[in-house]
Coordinates of all heavy atoms in Angstrom, one line a residue:
T1 N -1.5 1.3 10.1 CA -1.6 0.7 9.7 C -1.7 -0.7 10.1 O -1.3 -1.4 9.3 CB -1.0 1.6 9.1 OG1 -1.6 1.8 9.8 CG2 -0.9 2.8 8.6
Q2 N -2.3 -0.8 11.3 CA -2.6 -2.2 11.7 C -3.6 -2.8 10.7 O -3.4 -4.0 10.4 CB -3.2 -2.1 13.1 CG -3.6 -3.5 13.7 CD -2.4 -4.3 14.0 OE1 -1.3 -3.8 14.2 NE2 -2.6 -5.6 14.1
G3 N -4.6 -2.1 10.3 CA -5.5 -2.7 9.3 C -4.9 -3.1 8.0 O -5.3 -4.1 7.5
V4 N -4.0 -2.3 7.6 CA -3.3 -2.7 6.3 C -2.5 -4.0 6.5 O -2.7 -4.9 5.7 CB -2.3 -1.5 5.9 CG1 -1.5 -2.0 4.7 CG2 -3.1 -0.3 5.5
S5 N -1.7 -4.1 7.5 CA -1.0 -5.2 7.8 C -1.8 -6.5 8.0 O -1.6 -7.5 7.5 CB 0.0 -5.0 8.9 OG 0.9 -4.0 8.7
S6 N -2.9 -6.3 8.7 CA -3.8 -7.4 9.1 C -4.5 -7.9 7.8 O -4.6 -9.0 7.6 CB -4.9 -6.9 10.1 OG -5.8 -7.9 10.3
A7 N -5.0 -7.0 7.0 CA -5.7 -7.3 5.7 C -4.8 -8.1 4.8 O -5.1 -9.1 4.3 CB -6.3 -6.1 5.1
A8 N -3.6 -7.6 4.7 CA -2.6 -8.2 3.8 C -2.2 -9.6 4.3 O -2.2 -10.6 3.5 CB -1.4 -7.4 3.6
S9 N -2.0 -9.8 5.6 CA -1.5 -11.1 6.1 C -2.6 -12.1 6.2 O -2.5 -13.2 6.0 CB -0.9 -10.9 7.4 OG -1.8 -10.4 8.4
D10 N -3.9 -11.6 6.5 CA -5.0 -12.5 6.6 C -5.5 -13.1 5.2 O -5.8 -14.3 5.1 CB -6.2 -11.8 7.2 CG -6.0 -11.6 8.7 OD1 -5.0 -12.1 9.3 OD2 -6.8 -10.9 9.3
V11 N -5.5 -12.2 4.2 CA -6.1 -12.6 3.0 C -5.1 -12.9 1.9 O -5.4 -13.8 1.1 CB -7.1 -11.5 2.5 CG1 -7.8 -11.9 1.3 CG2 -8.1 -11.2 3.6
Y12 N -4.0 -12.2 1.8 CA -3.1 -12.3 0.7 C -1.7 -12.7 1.1 O -0.8 -11.9 1.2 CB -3.1 -11.0 -0.1 CG -4.5 -10.5 -0.4 CD1 -5.2 -9.5 0.3 CD2 -5.2 -11.1 -1.5 CE1 -6.5 -9.2 0.0 CE2 -6.5 -10.7 -1.8 CZ -7.1 -9.8 -1.1 OH -8.3 -9.4 -1.4
K13 N -1.6 -14.0 1.4 CA -0.4 -14.5 2.0 C 0.8 -14.3 1.1 O 2.0 -14.3 1.5 CB -0.5 -16.0 2.3 CG -1.6 -16.3 3.3 CD -1.3 -15.9 4.6 CE -2.4 -16.3 5.6 NZ -2.3 -15.7 6.9
R14 N 0.6 -14.1 -0.2 CA 1.8 -14.0 -1.2 C 2.2 -12.6 -1.4 O 3.1 -12.3 -2.1 CB 1.4 -14.6 -2.5 CG 1.1 -16.1 -2.4 CD 0.6 -16.6 -3.7 NE -0.7 -15.9 -3.9 CZ -1.3 -15.9 -5.0 NH1 -0.9 -16.6 -6.0 NH2 -2.5 -15.3 -5.2
Q15 N 1.6 -11.6 -0.7 CA 1.9 -10.3 -0.8 C 2.9 -9.8 0.2 O 2.9 -10.3 1.3 CB 0.7 -9.4 -0.8 CG -0.4 -9.9 -1.8 CD 0.1 -10.0 -3.2 OE1 0.7 -9.1 -3.7 NE2 -0.1 -11.1 -3.8
Y16 N 3.6 -8.7 -0.1 CA 4.5 -8.1 0.9 C 4.0 -6.7 1.2 O 3.5 -6.0 0.4 CB 5.9 -8.0 0.3 CG 6.5 -9.3 0.0 CD1 6.5 -9.8 -1.3 CD2 7.1 -10.0 1.0 CE1 7.1 -11.0 -1.6 CE2 7.7 -11.3 0.7 CZ 7.7 -11.7 -0.5 OH 8.2 -13.0 -0.8
V17 N 4.0 -6.4 2.5 CA 3.6 -5.1 3.0 C 4.7 -4.4 3.7 O 5.3 -5.0 4.6 CB 2.3 -5.2 3.9 CG1 2.0 -3.8 4.5 CG2 1.2 -5.9 3.2
Y18 N 5.0 -3.2 3.3 CA 6.1 -2.4 3.9 C 5.5 -1.1 4.3 O 4.7 -0.5 3.6 CB 7.2 -2.1 2.9 CG 7.9 -3.4 2.4 CD1 7.5 -3.9 1.2 CD2 8.9 -4.0 3.1 CE1 8.1 -5.1 0.7 CE2 9.5 -5.1 2.7 CZ 9.1 -5.7 1.5 OH 9.7 -6.8 1.0
K19 N 5.8 -0.7 5.5 CA 5.3 0.6 6.0 C 6.6 1.5 6.1 O 7.6 1.2 6.5 CB 4.7 0.5 7.4 CG 3.4 -0.3 7.4 CD 2.7 -0.2 8.7 CE 3.3 -1.1 9.8 NZ 2.5 -1.1 11.0
V20 N 6.3 2.7 5.6 CA 7.4 3.7 5.6 C 6.9 5.0 6.2 O 5.8 5.5 5.9 CB 7.9 4.0 4.1 CG1 8.9 5.2 4.1 CG2 8.4 2.8 3.5
N21 N 7.6 5.5 7.2 CA 7.3 6.8 7.8 C 7.9 7.9 6.9 O 9.1 8.1 7.0 CB 7.8 6.9 9.2 CG 7.3 8.1 9.9 OD1 7.1 9.1 9.3 ND2 7.2 8.0 11.2
V22 N 7.1 8.6 6.2 CA 7.6 9.6 5.2 C 8.2 10.8 6.0 O 9.0 11.5 5.3 CB 6.6 10.0 4.2 CG1 6.2 8.9 3.3 CG2 5.4 10.7 4.9
N23 N 8.0 10.9 7.2 CA 8.6 12.0 8.0 C 10.1 11.7 8.2 O 10.9 12.6 8.4 CB 8.0 12.2 9.4 CG 6.6 12.7 9.3 OD1 6.3 13.5 8.5 ND2 5.7 12.1 10.0
F24 N 10.5 10.4 8.1 CA 11.9 10.1 8.2 C 12.5 9.6 6.9 O 13.7 9.4 6.9 CB 12.0 8.9 9.3 CG 11.6 9.3 10.6 CD1 10.4 8.8 11.2 CD2 12.2 10.3 11.3 CE1 9.9 9.2 12.4 CE2 11.8 10.7 12.6 CZ 10.6 10.1 13.1
D25 N 11.7 9.6 5.9 CA 12.3 9.2 4.6 C 11.7 10.1 3.5 O 10.9 9.6 2.6 CB 12.1 7.7 4.3 CG 13.0 7.2 3.2 OD1 13.5 8.0 2.4 OD2 13.2 6.0 3.1
A26 N 12.0 11.3 3.6 CA 11.4 12.3 2.6 C 11.8 12.0 1.2 O 11.1 12.3 0.2 CB 11.9 13.7 3.0
E27 N 13.0 11.4 1.0 CA 13.5 11.1 -0.4 C 12.6 10.1 -1.0 O 12.2 10.2 -2.2 CB 14.9 10.6 -0.3 CG 15.5 10.3 -1.6 CD 17.0 9.8 -1.5 OE1 17.7 10.3 -0.7 OE2 17.3 9.0 -2.4
L28 N 12.2 9.0 -0.2 CA 11.3 8.0 -0.8 C 9.9 8.6 -1.0 O 9.3 8.3 -2.1 CB 11.2 6.9 0.2 CG 10.4 5.6 -0.3 CD1 11.1 5.0 -1.5 CD2 10.4 4.6 0.8
A29 N 9.4 9.4 -0.1 CA 8.1 10.1 -0.3 C 8.1 10.9 -1.6 O 7.2 10.9 -2.4 CB 7.8 11.0 0.8
E30 N 9.2 11.7 -1.9 CA 9.4 12.5 -3.1 C 9.4 11.6 -4.3 O 8.8 11.9 -5.3 CB 10.6 13.3 -3.0 CG 10.7 14.3 -4.1 CD 11.9 15.2 -4.0 OE1 12.3 15.5 -2.9 OE2 12.5 15.6 -5.1
K31 N 10.2 10.5 -4.2 CA 10.3 9.6 -5.4 C 9.0 9.1 -5.9 O 8.7 9.0 -7.1 CB 11.2 8.4 -5.0 CG 11.4 7.4 -6.1 CD 12.2 6.3 -5.7 CE 12.4 5.2 -6.8 NZ 13.3 4.1 -6.4
Y32 N 8.1 8.8 -5.0 CA 6.7 8.2 -5.3 C 5.6 9.3 -5.2 O 4.5 8.9 -5.3 CB 6.4 7.0 -4.4 CG 7.3 5.9 -4.8 CD1 8.4 5.5 -4.0 CD2 7.2 5.2 -6.0 CE1 9.3 4.4 -4.3 CE2 8.0 4.2 -6.3 CZ 9.0 3.8 -5.5 OH 9.9 2.7 -5.9
A33 N 6.0 10.5 -5.1 CA 5.0 11.6 -5.0 C 4.0 11.4 -4.0 O 2.8 11.6 -4.2 CB 4.4 11.9 -6.4
V34 N 4.3 11.0 -2.8 CA 3.4 10.8 -1.7 C 3.3 12.2 -1.0 O 4.2 12.8 -0.5 CB 3.9 9.8 -0.7 CG1 3.1 9.8 0.5 CG2 4.1 8.4 -1.3
M35 N 2.1 12.7 -1.1 CA 1.8 14.1 -0.6 C 0.9 14.1 0.6 O 0.7 15.1 1.3 CB 1.1 14.9 -1.7 CG 1.8 14.9 -3.0 SD 3.4 15.6 -2.8 CE 3.2 17.0 -3.8
A36 N 0.3 12.9 0.9 CA -0.6 12.8 2.1 C -0.4 11.5 2.8 O 0.1 10.5 2.2 CB -2.1 12.9 1.6
S37 N -0.8 11.4 4.0 CA -0.6 10.2 4.8 C -2.0 9.9 5.4 O -2.7 10.8 5.9 CB 0.4 10.5 5.9 OG 0.5 9.3 6.7
P38 N -2.5 8.7 5.3 CA -1.8 7.6 4.6 C -1.9 7.5 3.1 O -2.9 8.0 2.6 CB -2.4 6.3 5.3 CG -3.8 6.8 5.5 CD -3.7 8.2 5.9
T39 N -1.0 6.9 2.5 CA -1.0 6.7 1.1 C -0.5 5.2 0.9 O 0.5 4.9 1.4 CB -0.1 7.6 0.2 OG1 -0.6 8.9 0.4 CG2 -0.1 7.2 -1.3
I40 N -1.3 4.4 0.2 CA -0.9 3.1 -0.1 C -0.6 2.9 -1.5 O -1.4 3.2 -2.4 CB -2.1 2.1 0.4 CG1 -2.4 2.3 1.8 CG2 -1.6 0.6 0.1 CD1 -3.6 1.6 2.3
L41 N 0.6 2.4 -1.8 CA 1.0 2.2 -3.2 C 1.0 0.7 -3.5 O 1.4 -0.1 -2.7 CB 2.4 2.7 -3.4 CG 2.7 4.2 -3.1 CD1 4.1 4.5 -3.3 CD2 1.8 5.1 -3.9
F42 N 0.5 0.3 -4.6 CA 0.4 -1.1 -5.1 C 1.4 -1.3 -6.2 O 1.3 -0.5 -7.2 CB -1.0 -1.5 -5.5 CG -2.0 -1.4 -4.3 CD1 -2.7 -0.2 -4.1 CD2 -2.2 -2.4 -3.5 CE1 -3.6 -0.2 -3.1 CE2 -3.1 -2.4 -2.4 CZ -3.8 -1.2 -2.3
F43 N 2.3 -2.2 -6.1 CA 3.2 -2.5 -7.2 C 3.0 -3.9 -7.7 O 2.6 -4.8 -7.0 CB 4.7 -2.4 -6.6 CG 5.0 -1.1 -6.2 CD1 4.7 -0.5 -5.0 CD2 5.8 -0.3 -7.1 CE1 5.1 0.7 -4.6 CE2 6.1 1.0 -6.8 CZ 5.8 1.5 -5.5
K44 N 3.3 -4.1 -9.0 CA 3.2 -5.4 -9.6 C 4.4 -5.4 -10.5 O 4.6 -4.5 -11.4 CB 1.9 -5.5 -10.4 CG 1.6 -7.0 -10.8 CD 0.1 -7.1 -11.3 CE -0.3 -8.5 -11.2 NZ -1.7 -8.6 -11.6
S45 N 5.2 -6.5 -10.4 CA 6.4 -6.6 -11.2 C 7.3 -5.4 -11.1 O 7.9 -4.9 -12.1 CB 6.1 -6.9 -12.6 OG 5.4 -8.1 -12.7
G46 N 7.3 -4.8 -9.9 CA 8.2 -3.6 -9.7 C 7.7 -2.3 -10.1 O 8.3 -1.2 -10.0
E47 N 6.5 -2.2 -10.7 CA 5.9 -1.0 -11.2 C 4.7 -0.6 -10.4 O 3.9 -1.5 -10.1 CB 5.5 -1.2 -12.7 CG 6.7 -1.4 -13.6 CD 7.6 -0.2 -13.7 OE1 7.2 0.9 -13.7 OE2 8.9 -0.5 -13.8
E48 N 4.5 0.6 -10.1 CA 3.3 1.1 -9.4 C 2.1 0.9 -10.4 O 2.1 1.4 -11.5 CB 3.4 2.5 -9.0 CG 2.2 3.0 -8.2 CD 2.2 4.4 -7.8 OE1 3.3 5.0 -7.7 OE2 1.1 5.0 -7.6
V49 N 1.1 0.2 -9.9 CA -0.1 0.0 -10.7 C -1.4 0.7 -10.1 O -2.4 0.8 -10.8 CB -0.4 -1.5 -11.0 CG1 0.7 -2.1 -11.8 CG2 -0.5 -2.2 -9.6
S50 N -1.3 1.1 -8.8 CA -2.5 1.7 -8.2 C -2.0 2.4 -6.9 O -0.9 2.1 -6.4 CB -3.5 0.6 -7.9 OG -4.7 1.2 -7.4
R51 N -2.9 3.3 -6.4 CA -2.6 3.9 -5.1 C -3.9 4.3 -4.5 O -4.9 4.6 -5.2 CB -1.6 5.0 -5.2 CG -2.1 6.3 -5.8 CD -1.1 7.5 -5.7 NE 0.2 7.2 -6.1 CZ 1.3 7.8 -5.7 NH1 1.2 8.8 -4.8 NH2 2.5 7.5 -6.1
I52 N -3.9 4.3 -3.2 CA -5.1 4.7 -2.4 C -4.6 5.8 -1.5 O -3.5 5.6 -0.8 CB -5.7 3.6 -1.6 CG1 -6.3 2.5 -2.4 CG2 -6.7 4.2 -0.6 CD1 -6.8 1.3 -1.7
R53 N -5.3 7.0 -1.4 CA -4.9 8.1 -0.6 C -6.0 8.2 0.5 O -7.2 8.1 0.2 CB -4.8 9.4 -1.3 CG -3.7 9.4 -2.3 CD -3.7 10.7 -3.0 NE -2.7 10.8 -4.1 CZ -2.9 10.4 -5.3 NH1 -4.1 10.1 -5.7 NH2 -1.9 10.4 -6.2
G54 N -5.6 8.4 1.7 CA -6.5 8.5 2.8 C -6.9 7.2 3.5 O -6.6 6.2 3.0
L55 N -7.7 7.3 4.5 CA -8.2 6.2 5.2 C -9.2 5.4 4.4 O -10.1 6.1 3.8 CB -8.7 6.5 6.6 CG -7.7 7.1 7.6 CD1 -8.5 7.5 8.8 CD2 -6.7 6.0 7.9
V56 N -9.2 4.1 4.4 CA -10.2 3.3 3.7 C -10.5 2.1 4.6 O -9.7 1.7 5.4 CB -9.7 2.7 2.4 CG1 -9.4 3.9 1.4 CG2 -8.4 1.9 2.5
K57 N -11.7 1.6 4.5 CA -12.1 0.4 5.2 C -11.5 -0.8 4.7 O -11.1 -0.8 3.5 CB -13.7 0.3 5.2 CG -14.3 1.5 5.9 CD -15.8 1.3 6.0 CE -16.4 2.5 6.7 NZ -17.7 2.2 7.3
R58 N -11.4 -1.8 5.5 CA -10.7 -3.0 5.2 C -11.3 -3.6 3.9 O -10.5 -4.1 3.0 CB -10.8 -4.0 6.3 CG -10.1 -5.3 6.0 CD -10.3 -6.3 7.2 NE -9.7 -7.6 6.8 CZ -9.0 -8.3 7.6 NH1 -8.7 -7.9 8.8 NH2 -8.6 -9.5 7.1
N59 N -12.6 -3.7 3.7 CA -13.2 -4.3 2.5 C -12.7 -3.5 1.2 O -12.5 -4.2 0.2 CB -14.7 -4.4 2.6 CG -15.4 -3.1 2.8 OD1 -14.9 -2.1 3.2 ND2 -16.7 -3.1 2.3
A60 N -12.6 -2.2 1.3 CA -12.2 -1.5 0.2 C -10.7 -1.8 -0.2 O -10.3 -1.9 -1.3 CB -12.3 0.0 0.4
L61 N -9.9 -2.0 0.9 CA -8.5 -2.3 0.7 C -8.4 -3.7 0.1 O -7.6 -4.0 -0.9 CB -7.7 -2.3 2.0 CG -6.3 -2.7 2.0 CD1 -5.5 -1.8 1.1 CD2 -5.7 -2.6 3.4
E62 N -9.2 -4.7 0.6 CA -9.2 -6.0 0.1 C -9.6 -6.1 -1.4 O -9.1 -6.8 -2.2 CB -10.1 -7.0 0.9 CG -9.5 -7.2 2.3 CD -10.4 -7.9 3.2 OE1 -11.6 -8.1 2.8 OE2 -10.0 -8.4 4.2
E63 N -10.6 -5.3 -1.8 CA -11.1 -5.2 -3.1 C -10.0 -4.7 -4.1 O -9.8 -5.2 -5.1 CB -12.3 -4.3 -3.2 CG -12.9 -4.1 -4.6 CD -14.1 -3.2 -4.6 OE1 -14.9 -3.3 -3.7 OE2 -14.2 -2.4 -5.6
E64 N -9.3 -3.7 -3.6 CA -8.2 -3.1 -4.5 C -7.1 -4.1 -4.7 O -6.6 -4.3 -5.8 CB -7.7 -1.8 -3.8 CG -6.7 -1.1 -4.7 CD -7.3 -0.6 -6.0 OE1 -8.5 -0.2 -6.0 OE2 -6.5 -0.4 -7.0
V65 N -6.7 -4.8 -3.6 CA -5.7 -5.9 -3.7 C -6.2 -7.0 -4.6 O -5.4 -7.5 -5.4 CB -5.3 -6.3 -2.3 CG1 -4.3 -7.5 -2.4 CG2 -4.6 -5.2 -1.5
G66 N -7.4 -7.3 -4.4 CA -8.0 -8.4 -5.3 C -7.9 -8.1 -6.8 O -7.8 -9.0 -7.6
K67 N -8.0 -6.9 -7.1 CA -7.9 -6.5 -8.6 C -6.5 -6.8 -9.1 O -6.4 -7.0 -10.3 CB -8.2 -5.0 -8.7 CG -9.6 -4.6 -8.5 CD -9.7 -3.1 -8.6 CE -11.0 -2.5 -8.1 NZ -11.0 -1.0 -8.2
L68 N -5.6 -6.8 -8.3 CA -4.2 -7.0 -8.7 C -3.7 -8.4 -8.7 O -2.6 -8.7 -9.2 CB -3.2 -6.1 -7.8 CG -3.6 -4.7 -7.7 CD1 -2.7 -4.0 -6.7 CD2 -3.4 -4.0 -9.1
L69 N -4.5 -9.3 -8.2 CA -4.0 -10.7 -8.1 C -4.3 -11.5 -9.4 O -5.1 -11.2 -10.2 CB -4.7 -11.4 -7.0 CG -4.4 -10.9 -5.6 CD1 -5.2 -11.7 -4.5 CD2 -2.9 -11.1 -5.3

């Protein structure tokens, strides 16, 4: 997730990005039904509003984040 962190920090300064290794936090993976890696969850006001599964290009990630701003 270098690309995820980079895209978030370069374009969306007001957003927070957290990386979680689901191999070490199975409880969190189960809570959010993460079945594949990578999975990116998007939250707004504490609620999940979108998710991306699998590798995506930076522009696709930026587009998804842009929808939430």
Side-chain angles (χ1 to χ4, degrees):
T1 332
Q2 179 70 20
V4 171
S5 298
S6 176
S9 65
D10 288 351
V11 180
Y12 306 102
K13 301 289 184 188
R14 297 172 299 171
Q15 306 307 309
Y16 297 98
V17 175
Y18 299 95
K19 294 192 279 185
V20 175
N21 185 333
V22 296
N23 293 318
F24 298 112
D25 197 342
E27 185 177 325
L28 189 62
E30 185 177 330
K31 177 179 178 179
Y32 291 105
V34 173
M35 306 300 241
S37 183
T39 297
I40 302 170
L41 305 176
F42 297 92
F43 292 84
K44 197 169 199 175
S45 301
E47 298 293 322
E48 182 182 337
V49 293
S50 182
R51 70 171 55 205
I52 295 176
R53 292 178 186 94
L55 293 174
V56 295
K57 294 187 179 202
R58 181 182 173 137
N59 62 335
L61 178 60
E62 290 173 349
E63 181 180 317
E64 187 65 29
V65 173
K67 293 177 190 176
L68 303 172
L69 294 178

